[in-house]
């Protein structure tokens, strides 16, 4: 995380100021600006200029004029996006810190801070000249009169979780193997005080996780299965909530090598589901939410090595069910199935899996949201959809009608890992459903995990989608 948020009750005269306001909300003008400056600003506001930079003797004043909105989520998203635009200005003038004054009366400090922190995110690890490339902007000061300091502390924690997820997605396979992913999880576990248990290949074999082992057969590197747990003394849930994240550190498609031009270029993102559950776990534990939470991360790369699993293979899964493999590029469901079955032993209250599972989900909704499926109650799904709206990490629900399951019938095994030519996101969901026997929700985030062009505060590359969604869902869960 490049930028941190700091809570303060006052600020120095020379601090750069960022002012959030509405067109008709100008009571703050006389206190901060000279009469000439006030005239300039009033004229600009009248002309519907939304963003103004005013150089004073020893500081800049950046003025943001927001459009009023009846919809709270829209207003918050507008605020995040305007902050992202300001990051470009901040970088242009090499500013180092600024104070935010929120004169909207709509409590938009948190949204604005989010836009600033996430838009200023950088992944510079592999540049030789990283110091020159690094954004100078390191601190946004938030005043206690606009936002309580406890809330600022929680925002820092949450954005750390998002940036940790982005970092993991942005790391290439040359660094982030399955073993290295488990090391990163241990590091984050130490920082946020959750426990980590990593099963190595021998332990995975002993547990007969056939799906994960089949995908790993073509790889030179061993698989891992990481178990993360946060269990504070006071919890609201008697039975744990379990998150399962797809941890395919690289997806070549295996022997069913990826056919589409350039589609392999960004397949380091295929552990984004894992990154999201790890980032969410980090935030939940560090914020000490009163929730018993477990995360499972089955991980390997998917490669066409000499011993790779082949189309036609029949694999006995961790659950004991058999799967006929008809496409080795449908690998995510193989290892998620083992993770989902493993979750059963906890007698979970709810299981949520997150995965960059299908191109089909990405085609259906693009990068505007993820796809939700599941067997959890309507009330639980509604709560997740609502968290999606609040965090702008939106979801749309797809059905799991039983007829889709017909497509997974195999001639030689209990089911096959490939559906027909249509409804690919759903048949993948149906496949996973087979391994669940509890309240379950599945998030296919193939379209939103990774961006090829920046989109406001969602920087190019890993987006960290899902961290805030899950954190918010669990926060509301703890309250209700
Ligand atoms: N990792 C891919 C899905 C994906 C696509 C992620 C685009 C991110 C962006 C997944 O393992 C995959 O290859 N899915 C196949 C399944 C098919 C073979 C049934 C797909 O969607 O084409
Ligand atoms: Mn694949
Ligand atoms: Zn994949």
């Amino acid at each position: 995380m490049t930028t941190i948020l700091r809570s303060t009750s006052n600020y120095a005269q020379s601090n750069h100021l960022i002012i959030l306001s509405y067109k008709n909300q100008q009571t703050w003008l006389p206190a901060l600006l000279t009469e000439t400056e006030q005239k300039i600003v009033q004229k600009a506001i009248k002309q519907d200029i939304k963003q103004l930079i005013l150089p004073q003797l020893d500081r800049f004043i950046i003025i943001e004029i927001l459009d009023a909105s009846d919809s709270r989520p829209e207003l918050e998203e507008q605020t995040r996006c305007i902050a992202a635009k300001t990051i470009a200005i901040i970088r242009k003038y090499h500013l180092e810190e600024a104070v935010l004054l929120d004169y909207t009366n709509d409590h938009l400090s948190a949204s604005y801070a989010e836009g600033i922190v996430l838009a200023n995110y950088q992944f510079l690890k592999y540049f030789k000249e990283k110091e020159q490339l690094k954004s100078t902007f390191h601190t946004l000061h938030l005043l206690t009169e606009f936002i309580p300091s406890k809330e600022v502390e929680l925002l820092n924690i949450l954005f750390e979780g998002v940036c940790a997820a982005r970092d993991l997605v942005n790391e290439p396979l040359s660094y982030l193997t399955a073993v290295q992913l488990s090391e990163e999880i241990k590091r984050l576990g130490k920082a946020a005080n959750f426990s980590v248990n990593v099963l190595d290949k021998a332990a995975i074999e002993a547990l007969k996780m056939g799906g994960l082992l089949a995908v790993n057969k073509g790889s030179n590197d061993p698989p891992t299965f990481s178990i993360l747990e946060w269990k504070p003394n006071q919890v609201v849930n008697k039975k744990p909530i379990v998150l399962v994240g797809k941890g395919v550190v690289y997806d070549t498609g295996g022997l069913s090598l990826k056919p589409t031009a350039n589609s392999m270029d960004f397949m380091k993102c295929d552990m984004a589901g894992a990154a999201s559950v790890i980032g969410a776990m980090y935030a939940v534990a560090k914020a000490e939410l009163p929730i018993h939470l477990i995360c499972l991360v089955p991980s390997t790369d998917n490669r066409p090595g000499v011993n790779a699993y082949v189309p036609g293979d029949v694999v006995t899964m961790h659950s004991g069910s058999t799967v006929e493999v008809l496409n080795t590029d449908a690998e995510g469901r193989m290892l998620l199935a083992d993770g989902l079955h493993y979750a059963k032993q906890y007698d979970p209250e709810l299981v949520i899996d997150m995965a960059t599972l299908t191109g089909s989900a990405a085609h259906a909704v693009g990068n505007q949201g993820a796809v939700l499926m599941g067997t959890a109650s309507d009330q639980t799904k509604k709560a997740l959809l609502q968290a999606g709206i609040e965090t702008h990490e939106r979801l749309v629900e797809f059905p799991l009608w039983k007829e889709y399951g017909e497509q997974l019938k195999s001639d030689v095994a209990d089911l096959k890992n490939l559906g027909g030519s249509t409804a690919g996101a759903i048949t993948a969901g149906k496949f996973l459903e087979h391994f669940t026997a509890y309240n379950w929700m599945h998030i296919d985030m193939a379209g939103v995990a990774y961006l090829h062009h920046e989109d406001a505060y969602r920087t190019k590359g890993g987006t960290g989608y899902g961290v805030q969604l899950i954190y918010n869902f669990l926060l509301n869960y703890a309250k209700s």
Side-chain angles (χ1 to χ4, degrees), residues 4-55:
I4 67 154
L5 306 171
R6 223 183 263 283
S7 186
T8 177
S9 51
N10 51 38
Y11 57 91
Q13 189 60 43
S14 61
N15 272 134
H16 303 298
L17 301 183
I18 301 173
I19 292 163
L20 282 190
S21 185
Y22 291 124
K23 197 170 174 174
N24 58 3
Q25 163 59 44
Q26 298 178 9
T27 47
W28 54 271
L29 285 172
L32 294 167
L33 307 180
T34 64
E35 271 177 36
T36 322
E37 286 171 337
Q38 288 182 48
K39 277 191 194 125
I40 296 170
V41 171
Q42 275 161 340
K43 187 173 171 201
I45 292 177
K46 231 182 237 147
Q47 289 170 333
D48 251 340
I49 290 171
K50 300 285 184 220
Q51 205 162 33
L52 263 143
I53 315 148
L54 213 64

Side-chain angles (χ1 to χ4, degrees), residues 246 251 253 258 270 302 328-332 357:
K246 172 177 173 182
D251 185 11
K258 288 208 169 285
D270 215 15
N302 181 26
T328 62
D329 198 11
E331 85 296 342
L357 202 59

Side-chain angles (χ1 to χ4, degrees), residues 28-260:
W28 54 271
L29 285 172
L32 294 167
L33 307 180
T34 64
E35 271 177 36
T36 322
E37 286 171 337
Q38 288 182 48
K39 277 191 194 125
I40 296 170
V41 171
Q42 275 161 340
K43 187 173 171 201
I45 292 177
K46 231 182 237 147
Q47 289 170 333
D48 251 340
I49 290 171
K50 300 285 184 220
Q51 205 162 33
L52 263 143
I53 315 148
L54 213 64
Q56 288 188 329
L57 276 184
D58 52 355
R59 66 175 178 193
F60 286 101
I61 296 193
I62 299 173
I63 300 163
E64 319 268 28
I65 304 298
L66 295 171
D67 289 322
S69 169
D70 294 336
S71 153
R72 179 76 200 171
E74 264 177 41
L75 182 60
E76 290 182 353
E77 179 64 3
Q78 183 198 154
T79 307
R80 293 181 199 107
C81 290
I82 208 167
K85 281 195 178 143
T86 298
I87 277 298
I89 299 169
I90 282 174
R91 289 208 195 154
K92 185 170 158 190
Y93 291 103
H94 304 292
L95 307 192
E96 295 179 351
E97 43 194 314
V99 180
L100 180 69
L101 304 175
D102 173 15
Y103 291 120
T104 62
N105 287 326
D106 274 333
H107 305 285
L108 292 171
S109 296
S111 301
Y112 193 85
E114 179 183 345
I116 290 287
V117 172
L118 297 185
N120 203 31
Y121 166 86
Q122 293 174 299
F123 183 72
L124 298 174
K125 180 175 167 188
Y126 293 103
F127 286 102
K128 189 176 173 195
E129 314 284 355
K130 21 182 169 315
E131 282 313 311
Q132 272 107 299
L133 293 167
K134 194 172 173 210
S135 167
T136 52
F137 193 74
H138 54 74
T139 309
L140 180 67
H141 301 272
L142 301 173
L143 284 165
T144 45
E145 70 181 273
F146 300 114
I147 180 169
S149 62
K150 177 72 193 158
E151 218 177 293
V152 174
E153 192 187 317
L154 291 173
L155 287 176
N156 272 324
I157 290 169
L158 180 57
F159 303 150
E160 273 167 29
V162 176
C163 293
R166 285 184 178 184
D167 282 345
L168 289 173
V169 173
N170 290 332
E171 280 287 1
L173 176 65
S174 50
Y175 174 79
L176 197 74
T177 59
V179 169
Q180 190 57 42
L181 177 60
S182 71
E183 293 297 324
E184 302 293 322
I185 294 171
K186 287 181 198 161
R187 172 178 61 81
L188 292 164
K190 283 207 184 86
N193 202 26
F194 59 81
S195 71
V196 180
N197 177 19
V198 178
L199 307 182
D200 63 7
K201 187 172 181 185
I204 293 165
E205 283 169 344
L207 285 165
K208 299 197 171 92
M209 292 191 170
L212 176 56
L213 289 165
V215 178
N216 181 252
K217 275 180 80 183
S219 172
N220 277 327
D221 301 321
T224 55
F225 189 98
S226 301
I227 303 163
L228 298 62
E229 184 164 15
W230 166 247
K231 193 180 185 185
N233 291 332
Q234 295 285 322
V235 295
V236 295
N237 51 335
K238 280 204 198 73
K239 305 194 289 179
I241 294 177
V242 181
L243 307 175
V244 184
K246 172 177 173 182
V248 173
V249 283
Y250 197 81
D251 185 11
T252 67
L255 283 173
S256 313
L257 201 65
K258 288 208 169 285
T260 320

Side-chain angles (χ1 to χ4, degrees), residues 54 71 92 191 267 333 336 348 354 395 404:
L54 213 64
S71 153
K92 185 170 158 190
M267 275 305 144
R333 64 196 73 180
L336 281 173
M354 307 189 74
L395 295 155
Y404 290 113

